[in-house]
Each structure stands twice: as structure tokens, then as C-alpha cells.
Amino acid sequence: MLELKDVHTYYGNIHALKGISLKVEKGEIVTLIGSNGAGKSTTLRTIQGINRPRSGSILLEGEALEKLPPHEIALRGVAQSPEGRMIFPRMTVMENLEMGAYARKDKSGFDEDLERVFNLFPRLKERINQKGGTLSGGEQQMLAMGRALMARPRILLLDEPSMGLSPILVELIFEIIQTINKEGTTILLVEQNALMALSIANRGYVIQTGEIVLTDTASKLKANEMVRKSYLGIE
Amino acid sequence: MNENIKSGITFGLIGGLLTFLFGGWSVGVLGVLMGIGLGLALGPRFNPRDGWMSLAKQALPAAAASGAILLVLSLLQNYVIDPAIGQNFEDLDVVIPANLVGVVGGILFTCIVTALHGLSEEWERKGKIILLGLVILAFPFVDKFTELRWTAQIIFALIFVILGLGLNIVVGYAGLLDLGYAAFFAIGAYTTGILSSPQHNIFLNFWLVIWIAAGVGAIFGLILGAPTLPLRGDYLAIVTLGFGEIVPVLFRNLIDVTIKEPLTCWILPLFKIQTACITFMSHEDLTAGEKGINPVGRPILPIIKLNEAMGIELVIKIAVLLVALALITFLYIRIWRNGNRKVGSVASYAAIVAAILIVFLPIPRTRVAVFDNVLGIIQPGEFQSDNPIPWYFLIIAIILLSIFLINRLRESRLGRAWMAIREDELAAAQMGIDPVRTKLLAFAMGATFSGFAGAFYAAYIRGIFPSVFDFSASIIILCCVILGGIGNINGVIVGGLALMTADRLFLPALKDFLKGLLDHTVLPALSSNPTLQAAVGQNANPILYRFLLFGLTLVIMMSVRPEGLVPSAQRRMELHAGEESGGTPVAAK
Ligand SMILES: Nc1ncnc2c1ncn2[C@@H]1O[C@H](COP(=O)(O)OP(=O)(O)O)[C@@H](O)[C@H]1O
Ligand SMILES: [Mg+2]
């Protein structure tokens, strides 16, 4: 469904992605794990067109994305719950969700998807008229994910959905990610919380200073010596 | 003291003090206006469940207080101030009915408007709209009858209301700070000037030109908007400031324009190929520079004054108009109901424009007969300078149309895209919003309305002079928007009216008042020192300090009520979030 081939991305002179290649098949949860500053967010931002790759190609079901501007990529069914959440602070929860549905072409499914989001995140329904900027961190995370779901994306990119959340909320968010996936959404999940990510993903990639150093099924990665040492903190 | 009585006294004081400046019938008009204002302020303070009768009674003390203050000040004006500033005592024929209307009318309207709050929400809204409609409708006639001569000045204020509405799209909705908006006003006005004046012997009909001006405005909105696209915040403001400076300079200097076709004039001769050089324009004076374009054609509306030749034509036109309106309504409701809103909107706008064109374009008999309005021969139905009433209704119509269009825009997909861009451009792009298109359309739509305003302005003052469109004009328009409440249509209307009425009516009246006062008090006492006498006499002119006063108003507003006079609910919440919840206001990212 989504394929990156030898993608190089720079910030000025900083070579942030040094030839990333990865693949996400339809219906999968694929996770990209790596330590702080490894280039996980940059990978997602490159897929979304916010950062432009200097070379390499990004294909969404065969169509090249790497030359398209971000809004065109969004219109093709790529939605992201970004790092830092980036919700619209002065819009209400409802208005944020409506903005999420901006890209979709079939308006008829709006009510249905709204109900789905409210079922996944009942907390959002309670705060439907509250301004996005006044939500708590966890609620903002839910809103960012809900907003991305309202686009009914072909592929959902999640950038550290567990960041800054309490352990209970992290459990909840990961359960919801599984539910979303079971309902048919393909997911590329970026995480520092490698243990949680690998326990719900089908496959995983390990990224280190801009390079993919390891890839395997999630269960094999979980058993891998290097992964256990570096990312799971297990000796 | 009771809060309501305090409001009553405030309104009475404002009205009463203003009568000092205007005298004559002003107490009658101001009394009624203040009464309505007081009613609007009081209504929400009472419990609507008490019923309208009870609310009217509850408003009575405040209304009476307001009336009493008004009466005292007005009599003070008649019997003390007027003699002191050397005005003749007004006829009792004016004084008695004017005071009666002001006081009784004021009290009555306070009670009526307050009582509206006791009705159901829907009827309260309707009641307010009807009342507002009546005031707008009656105003110019009352003004004419009372010989106050305010209408001509109010029209200027209304021009700035349209400009404010247009700028509000750019600044309020899309969040792009535009410091050069007067450039678009100038473009609208010059388009009108060039297309309907002896400058180029083109005499297009005003009803056509105003749409062209709006269109040209929109095109220049795109052109001037394009270079600002990569810029944000401060940088954007600086570039728009530059455009605001460049455009009037351009119009000052387009007095000797030669446009040659480059291929035949320069490139082919380089290769020693001899051709006739094609020149599109040779030493053409496009804008008449500092002199300005004068006279500019005026609207002609055959309905205003009938003559025999116009009779049959008029009947046909009115019939066409009625049929068209019926058709539009029908179409609109049908298509709207069936859910295809886009088709519905486009069809109905097209139908409205077509109907307007059919009705208002006079059928030309000979060229001169149609266009001689410019050349000094008065046509039946032509708008005149000495009668502001048709102009007044024309600009009211333009404002209503603008409000309608802007409301539709705001609720459209584009409107939501503007809000998203204002909040967070990157996030908006991730939602599938094209930032380039969205911003360009904000500039274009904003400029459309300044096109309307420019066309009207050029026709109304019958000429165009480049100095009108300088930086100060941009700032005044921005002040109207900020004063009223950024992002809110009602706020912008109130802001524009308040600021420009103060500028156009209040300051000149204050100037005359001060002059009269000084002439009869201080100045004679200074006759021993003619230099000082002259200095005092010349400097006691508040019009000289108008920018100082604008500035002060803004500074005071920003510190006392930063959300504007009539803020949008959203801004009020943001700016006062800290006070209400004890937390810090949400930072706009
Ligand atoms: N806007 C930026 N400008 C310059 N360098 C950046 C920028 N954003 C990220 N980087 C650098 O790129 C590398 C990858 O960052 P990032 O993708 O955010 O890492 P991760 O999400 O894996 O923590 C880091 O070295 C970081 O410092
Ligand atoms: Mg990151």
C-alpha cells in the first residue's frame, strides 16, 4: 500500500534520513521504533510532504507522492496524528473533527464516522463544545487521532500517540489503535515505547540515526537481542 | 445606584452632550437613537420570562432617567449654550417638538426595545430586525425633514463599513494582517474613474462598472496576494504595507504611458528586420496624476424620477425585475431543498446579477443621450450631489448584498479553510486545505468588496484623487475593524459607523462649537495680543488632531476592551479566558 524507497531527507546540511526504505501492506499495523532523534518524525513528515525528500520515492498504491504538496497528499487518503498533536486550539472539539473531514469526498459518511470517533473516544463527546486548546494532553491526543480518523484515511500515520500520557491512558490508546486497525485502517505507528508498539504491530522497523538497521515481524523483533538491549531496556 | 439607572444616565448624557454640538432638531433624533440603544443594553439584563409588559415597566425608571438628563441638557443648550456661542435662539416651533420627540420618543423606544427581550427568541430577533429596518429606512427622510444634514456624512461612514467588511475577510477570517488594504480601494475607484469619465471618453454605465470594479479588485487581490504567500505574520504585514504605498504612487504617475509591442519595436530591429513598430498606447494620460479624474459618471436609476420617454421602458423593466425575482426565489428554494447547494447558489447569484443588469442598464438611444450625465446634462433619474437619499439607499443595498455574500462565504468550505489557516497553516495543509489557494482567495474576496466601495466612492464624490488612498486610509479601515471587533460582521459595522461618524460628523461639529465658544469668550479677551489670539483660534480645531484622536481611541480600546465593541464570541472568550477560569489565555500558535 505504502512504500518508501531509499528516501533521503535533509534539514539544511543535516542529513536526517539516509536512505529509508520501508513497506506497509494493506490492513497492517507497522511500527517504526527508534530512540530520540533517530528520524522517526522526519519519516512521517516526509511521507506527508511537509519535508521534501532530496532523493528516493514514496509510493501510495503505486502513485508517487514525493513531489506533491501536503494538502494533495492528504486528499489522497494519508492522515496523520502528528507529533505535538497540532490541533486547532481556538476551534471547538466538533469544529476540529469537522476540519478532519475536510479532505473526504463522500460527505454522506460523516455522521457515521463521527459516531465511530465518539464510540472510540467517549471523552470527546462530553467535550464537544470545548475549545481544543483547553483540553488536557490526553484529550488532545484523542482529538488529534479522532480528527485524523474523520478523514477516513487509507493510511493513518501516528506519531508517538503515547507521549506524555499516564500508563492507563497509554493502555487505552493502544487498545483503540488495535480497534481502529481491526475496523480496516492501515496504520504506520511511530513509537519510542517500543514494547507497547511491538505488542500490537504486525511488523516493525528499527531506525537509527536516519537509517533502517533492522526489520522483522513484531514478535521476532521483540525477541531480538539488540532490540531488547537498546529499546526494551531488558538485559 | 441601580445599574440600569446608571446606564440610563450614561445614554442620556451622551445624547444630551451631542445636542450641544448639533443643536436644532438633533435632540429629537438623538433621543430616539439613544432610547433604542438603551433598550438594547437593558433587555438582556431582565428575565425574559417576566413577559414583555413587565419588562417594559421595569425599563421605565432607567428610560425616565435618560429622558430627564436629555431634557435638562437640551434646554441648557437652548437657553445657555446657544447664546454663549453666539447662535440665535432656535424657534420655539423647533425647540418644543424636538424636545418632545426626543424625550417621549426616547422613553417609548427604550421600553419597546426592552420589551422585545420578553418575547420568544425568534420574535425578539424579528422584532429587532424590523426595528433596525425602520430606523435605516426612516433615517434619511427624518434627516431631511429636520435639516440636520447628516445623511451625506453617514454615507462616507457606510463606505468605510464596506471596506471594513472586506478587510475583515483578510484579517479577521484568514488571519493575514494587511496594512495596505486601501490599495484595493484605490483600484476599485480608479477602475470606475477610467471606465466612466471624459478622461478616456469611456462612459460605461455605473451599474456595470461597479461589477467590473469588483472583478478588477479581485484580480489585483490575486496579483498582490501572490508575493505575500510564503510570508507570515510581521513579514506579511510589511509587504502589504509596501503595496499600500506603491499603488497610490503608481496612480499618481500613470500620466504618460507608452506601451509598445516588444517583438516589433525592439527585438526584430535588433536583427535588422524593418517592421512597423506596433504601439498599443502612446503618451497616454491614464490617471491624470495629482489632478485626479474628474468628473466621474453617476448611477442612473429611472425609477427615481419618471419622465414620459422613460415610462414604457420603466414598466417593462419593473415587470422583468418582478418576474426575475419570483424566478430566483422559486429556483433558490427548489434547488436548496433538493440539497444541491452549489448549483443553487451559482444559479441564484447569476439570476440576481442578470436581473440587476437588465433593469438598470438604460437602453442606449444614442451614445450621447446615454452618457451625457457625465458631460453635464442631467438625465432623468440620475443621482445628484444635492440629494443624498438615493446614494444612501444605494450604499445600504450594497452593504446588505455584502453581508449576505460574506455570511455565505464564511459558512462555506472556503470560510472554514480560512479559519483553519488562521489557526495553524501546517495543520490545515494536513487536513487537505491548499494554503496557497485559500490565502489567495482571501485576498481576492476581500478586494472584491473594496471594489464595490471604490466604485461607489468615485461616483459619489464625482472624482478621484490619489491622496485619498494613502497609508492613512489603510490604517483607518483597520481601525474600524479592530474597534468594532475583528472577525465579527456586526462588530465591523458598528466599528466603521462609530469611527467614521465621529470623524465626519462629530469632529466638524465640535470644531464649529469650539469656534463659536472661543469667539464669544476667550478670543475677545485676547484682542490685546493678536499673535496669541490667532494661534488659539487656529489650533482650537479638533480636525487637526484627528489622527491623534484615532490613536488615543485605539490605545484606550486595546487596554479597556481589546476584543472590540461588538466582539465575536470566540475572541471574547479567548481574551477573557484568564479572568474567568483563573488560568492563562490560550496562546494562539
Ligand atoms: N526542523 C529541524 N531543523 C533541523 N534539524 C531537525 C529539525 N527537525 C528535526 N531535526 C533533526 O533531525 C533528526 C531527526 O529528528 P526527528 O525525526 O524529529 O527524530 P525522532 O522523531 O525520531 O525523535 C534529529 O537529529 C533532529 O535534530
Ligand atoms: Mg519525533
Side-chain angles (χ1 to χ4, degrees):
Chain A
M1 169 159 230
L2 179 75
E3 187 173 6
L4 276 70
K5 285 185 194 157
D6 195 27
V7 169
H8 290 262
T9 302
Y10 289 76
Y11 292 103
N13 286 330
I14 302 169
H15 197 170
L17 299 187
K18 302 168 187 160
I20 298 284
S21 298
L22 59 81
K23 239 184 189 171
V24 185
E25 299 296 344
K26 200 173 173 114
E28 272 190 315
I29 299 182
V30 170
T31 182
L32 183 61
I33 56 179
S35 53
N36 213 345
K40 304 182 297 294
S41 298
T42 306
T43 307
L44 293 195
R45 290 162 62 88
T46 306
I47 295 171
Q48 267 252 302
I50 296 163
N51 293 119
R52 214 145 273 279
R54 198 169 283 181
S55 64
S57 63
I58 303 168
L59 300 171
L60 181 69
E61 292 186 339
E63 187 185 5
L65 297 185
E66 70 270 5
K67 297 239 155 48
L68 296 175
H71 70 272
E72 288 287 347
I73 293 171
L75 291 172
R76 279 165 178 71
V78 179
Q80 182 174 182
S81 164
E83 187 173 36
R85 289 138 196 176
M86 287 170 78
I87 56 166
F88 299 108
R90 301 192 291 183
M91 292 189 188
T92 63
V93 167
M94 188 64 194
E95 286 165 341
N96 265 283
L97 293 174
E98 282 171 0
M99 286 318 304
Y102 192 92
R104 59 189 298 160
K105 297 187 179 71
D106 57 317
K107 294 295 154 202
S108 49
F110 179 86
D111 290 335
E112 193 183 305
D113 280 7
L114 192 64
E115 202 175 306
R116 173 168 163 235
V117 168
F118 284 150
N119 279 338
L120 290 172
F121 307 105
R123 189 82 75 89
L124 291 183
K125 193 169 185 177
E126 291 162 23
R127 303 182 180 262
I128 191 160
N129 287 320
Q130 194 174 326
K131 299 280 163 182
T134 62
L135 296 174
S136 76
E139 289 160 352
Q140 290 195 5
Q141 186 60 54
M142 296 176 190
L143 182 55
M145 286 174 64
R147 187 181 61 177
L149 283 178
M150 287 305 292
R152 187 166 283 215
R154 293 205 275 180
I155 181 161
L156 177 64
L157 313 177
L158 298 174
D159 198 343
E160 306 216 26
S162 71
M163 181 140 72
L165 302 188
S166 68
I168 299 171
L169 259 181
V170 173
E171 294 259 354
L172 179 69
I173 291 278
F174 276 91
E175 261 170 47
I176 289 171
I177 293 171
Q178 273 180 302
T179 316
I180 293 169
N181 177 250
K182 284 205 191 90
E183 287 171 3
T185 309
T186 308
I187 293 172
L188 175 55
L189 169 66
V190 155
E191 264 300 341
Q192 274 195 63
N193 189 338
L195 187 61
M196 289 297 276
L198 288 173
S199 58
I200 65 164
N202 304 93
R203 294 187 299 115
Y205 291 84
V206 179
I207 183 170
Q208 235 169 44
T209 56
E211 283 171 296
I212 301 285
V213 292
L214 197 60
T215 173
D216 214 328
T217 61
S219 48
K220 286 211 182 119
L221 280 181
K222 236 172 157 180
N224 181 290
E225 190 75 16
M226 191 272 272
V227 174
R228 288 173 74 86
K229 250 193 184 153
S230 318
Y231 302 105
L232 304 179
I234 306 165
E235 288 297 322
Chain B
M1 203 190 304
N2 180 324
E3 195 66 23
N4 300 330
I5 306 252
K6 253 190 219 162
S7 301
I9 291 175
T10 313
F11 276 87
L13 273 177
I14 295 174
L17 290 176
L18 286 175
T19 64
F20 282 12
L21 301 183
F22 297 107
W25 258 100
S26 66
V27 57
V29 177
L30 288 168
V32 170
L33 289 179
M34 290 298 143
I36 293 173
L38 180 58
L40 288 175
L42 288 180
R45 296 190 200 162
F46 297 128
N47 185 353
R49 282 207 213 104
D50 291 354
W52 60 274
M53 265 303 269
S54 160
L55 287 199
K57 270 185 211 148
Q58 289 174 37
L60 208 52
S66 163
I69 300 266
L70 184 75
L71 186 65
V72 169
L73 289 179
S74 156
L75 291 178
L76 194 68
Q77 185 257 331
N78 285 318
Y79 288 95
V80 181
I81 307 263
D82 266 2
I85 64 171
Q87 295 265 333
N88 290 330
F89 183 74
E90 311 261 10
D91 241 332
L92 276 183
D93 289 359
V94 171
V95 172
I96 294 173
N99 278 296
L100 215 61
V101 168
V103 174
V104 177
I107 294 175
L108 207 65
F109 272 101
T110 305
C111 295
I112 292 175
V113 176
T114 311
L116 284 179
H117 194 64
L119 301 173
S120 74
E121 217 162 280
E122 194 198 337
W123 278 104
E124 181 183 355
R125 222 177 75 85
K126 280 187 187 162
K128 279 183 185 167
I129 289 176
I130 291 171
L131 192 76
L132 188 69
L134 285 178
V135 170
I136 291 172
L137 213 62
F139 176 80
F141 300 107
V142 172
D143 179 59
K144 191 175 179 191
F145 170 74
T146 56
E147 293 183 352
L148 286 170
R149 299 181 203 291
W150 287 352
T151 309
Q153 304 307 322
I154 293 289
I155 290 171
F156 280 105
L158 293 174
I159 293 174
F160 276 80
V161 166
I162 299 184
L163 290 168
L165 288 173
L167 181 61
N168 184 46
I169 294 179
V170 184
V171 179
Y173 293 167
L176 307 165
L177 182 53
D178 184 349
L179 294 181
Y181 187 69
F184 300 122
F185 184 30
I187 287 164
Y190 270 97
T191 305
T192 307
I194 289 170
L195 291 180
S196 61
S197 73
Q199 182 72 19
H200 301 284
N201 277 323
I202 305 174
F203 302 100
L204 290 188
N205 188 297
F206 175 82
W207 306 113
L208 183 62
V209 168
I210 188 168
W211 297 105
I212 298 179
V216 172
I219 292 168
F220 275 88
L222 295 178
I223 294 174
L224 297 192
T228 68
L229 287 176
L231 307 171
R232 289 185 198 191
D234 314 348
Y235 302 102
L236 173 82
I238 291 166
V239 171
T240 56
L241 181 72
F243 281 135
E245 290 296 295
I246 290 168
V247 168
V249 171
L250 196 67
F251 283 127
R252 278 192 171 90
N253 289 295
L254 286 177
I255 49 177
D256 185 5
V257 183
T258 303
I259 302 178
K260 291 179 174 174
E261 202 272 322
L263 191 71
T264 52
C265 296
W266 293 305
I267 296 174
L268 289 184
L270 276 184
F271 300 101
K272 304 263 180 319
I273 301 170
Q274 292 304 318
T275 50
C277 167
I278 301 172
T279 308
F280 292 121
M281 207 179 263
S282 168
H283 301 288
E284 195 73 58
D285 180 358
L286 278 182
T287 58
E290 208 63 60
K291 281 203 316 282
I293 297 176
N294 184 10
V296 173
R298 295 173 156 171
I300 300 170
L301 193 61
I303 298 167
I304 290 175
K305 213 195 274 170
L306 282 175
N307 78 352
E308 251 163 67
M310 287 298 204
I312 259 299
E313 203 177 291
L314 184 70
V315 171
I316 295 171
K317 283 181 174 181
I318 291 179
V320 171
L321 177 68
L322 290 179
V323 171
L325 277 180
L327 213 73
I328 293 164
T329 321
F330 178 72
L331 242 170
Y332 207 65
I333 294 172
R334 268 304 290 276
I335 297 173
W336 196 270
R337 281 252 174 84
N338 292 345
N340 193 345
R341 295 182 170 211
K342 208 166 201 171
V343 178
S345 322
V346 172
S348 50
Y349 293 147
I352 290 171
V353 172
I356 289 171
L357 287 181
I358 291 169
V359 174
F360 293 139
L361 282 176
I363 300 155
R365 291 195 199 88
T366 70
R367 210 182 81 116
V368 176
V370 176
F371 300 121
D372 55 11
N373 62 318
V374 184
L375 305 173
I377 306 160
I378 293 173
Q379 275 220 331
E382 191 193 300
F383 285 32
Q384 296 300 314
S385 348
D386 54 6
N387 181 13
I389 294 180
W391 296 100
Y392 172 84
F393 284 110
L394 174 57
I395 191 125
I396 292 285
I398 299 175
I399 289 179
L400 289 179
L401 177 72
S402 305
I403 293 174
F404 171 75
L405 292 177
I406 291 173
N407 266 327
R408 296 297 310 277
L409 270 176
R410 197 197 50 204
E411 283 155 22
S412 71
R413 226 173 126 70
L414 180 59
R416 289 192 298 137
W418 284 334
M419 316 279 171
I421 290 276
R422 184 186 66 190
E423 297 261 296
D424 187 332
E425 199 176 318
L426 204 55
Q430 291 188 36
M431 300 298 112
I433 293 166
D434 181 351
V436 171
R437 204 180 88 95
T438 308
K439 286 194 204 170
L440 277 181
L441 280 175
F443 278 111
M445 291 296 151
T448 306
F449 294 98
S450 62
F452 285 148
F456 181 91
Y457 178 83
Y460 183 54
I461 66 164
R462 231 192 165 191
I464 315 164
F465 311 98
S467 58
V468 173
F469 309 104
D470 283 344
F471 178 57
S472 59
S474 295
I475 292 305
I476 292 174
I477 303 167
L478 193 62
C479 285
C480 294
V481 174
I482 294 172
L483 183 74
I486 295 178
N488 183 9
I489 291 187
N490 292 341
V492 174
I493 294 173
V494 170
L497 269 180
L499 199 65
M500 295 316 292
T501 313
D503 187 37
R504 285 274 169 176
L505 272 182
F506 179 74
L507 286 186
L510 187 65
K511 176 193 161 200
D512 292 343
F513 175 79
L514 282 180
K515 188 170 182 312
L517 197 65
L518 289 177
D519 280 348
H520 291 83
T521 50
V522 181
L523 289 188
L526 291 177
S527 56
S528 57
N529 185 346
T531 335
L532 183 63
Q533 193 184 26
V536 171
Q538 276 161 17
N539 287 309
N541 177 0
I543 295 177
L544 295 177
Y545 311 114
R546 57 196 282 260
F547 282 105
L548 180 69
L549 295 173
F550 279 161
L552 271 180
T553 315
L554 268 197
V555 170
I556 293 170
M557 261 320 269
M558 283 299 105
S559 47
V560 178
R561 204 180 154 91
E563 68 273 31
L565 290 171
V566 186
S568 63
Q570 201 172 38
R571 286 229 156 221
R572 184 168 20 202
M573 198 213 75
E574 283 158 28
L575 285 162
H576 291 289
E579 292 156 31
E580 276 153 31
S581 63
T584 45
V586 188
K589 212 198 113 179

